[in-house]
Every structure is written in C-alpha cells, then in structure tokens.
Amino acid sequence: MGICKVCGNDYDKAFEVRLAGESHVFDSFECAIHALAPRCASCGCTVIGHGVEGAEAIYCCAHCARAEGVVGVDDRADAGRRRANPETDRGTRTKGRTRDGKDG
C-alpha cells in the first residue's frame, strides 16, 4: 500500500491514518504512535490513550496535570484513595460482596 512515514519501510500491509485532513501511511502501530501521539506537557512521555486535558494541554495522568497547576483533575489512580460514599456509591460486586463490605 505504501511507504511508512516514520521508518521508510515499503510494506504490503501498510495502513493509512487520516488526521486533521492529512493522510499518513505507516507500517505499524508503533510508527503511527511515534508520529502522531501527543506528549505529556509535564513529563514528556507519549500519551497512548485518553490522557488528561487541562489548561489547553494534554498530560499522561492527573498527577502530571496537577504538577503543572491544573486543578480539578482526577484519574483512576486517584479514585482508590477516596472512601466510598454510601449515599451515592452503590459499590462494585467482588466475590459476593460490594466494595463497601456489605453482602450483595
């Protein structure tokens, strides 16, 4: 199909990604990620997945966003630190019990 934009490999199973009206040809997801994935505005790592957006930038996690002064961000890693609220949290079933320890 084409020549990879990153490594130059002429591969019969190359694929095309269209982003913001531009076409890009790659021979692997690795090359596509290298070329197109955003970098964390705090630590510089490649953001593969949703990441966290704040202050018109993308971060790999809420920790990095907060380190740059973004407030009100949270991710799954932070969720475990909060205590379950029995008024709003119905719990998640785990081996016959809800997360708050009650039989379900």
Side-chain angles (χ1 to χ4, degrees):
M1 175 173 170
I3 297 173
C4 179
K5 176 180 182 171
V6 174
C7 68
N9 187 22
D10 188 1
Y11 188 49
D12 66 331
K13 294 176 182 68
F15 58 93
E16 178 183 14
V17 175
R18 293 176 104 15
L19 179 66
E22 292 185 28
S23 174
H24 309 272
V25 176
F26 302 103
D27 69 338
S28 66
F29 286 117
E30 181 179 4
C31 285
I33 290 167
H34 177 77
L36 301 177
R39 304 294 187 261
C40 176
S42 181
C43 72
C45 76
T46 304
V47 180
I48 303 171
H50 296 290
V52 176
E53 293 185 52
E56 298 183 24
I58 296 177
Y59 302 93
C60 63
C61 63
H63 171 81
C64 279
R66 286 192 300 270
E68 297 296 318
V70 179
V71 295
V73 292
D74 199 8
D75 58 23
R76 255 186 107 94
D78 296 324
R81 295 184 190 136
R82 293 190 303 266
R83 293 183 58 212
N85 180 344
E87 298 297 320
T88 60
D89 188 0
R90 300 200 188 280
T92 302
R93 292 190 68 85
T94 306
K95 295 185 181 178
R97 293 184 176 257
T98 58
R99 186 174 10 163
D100 57 9
K102 297 178 184 173
D103 287 328

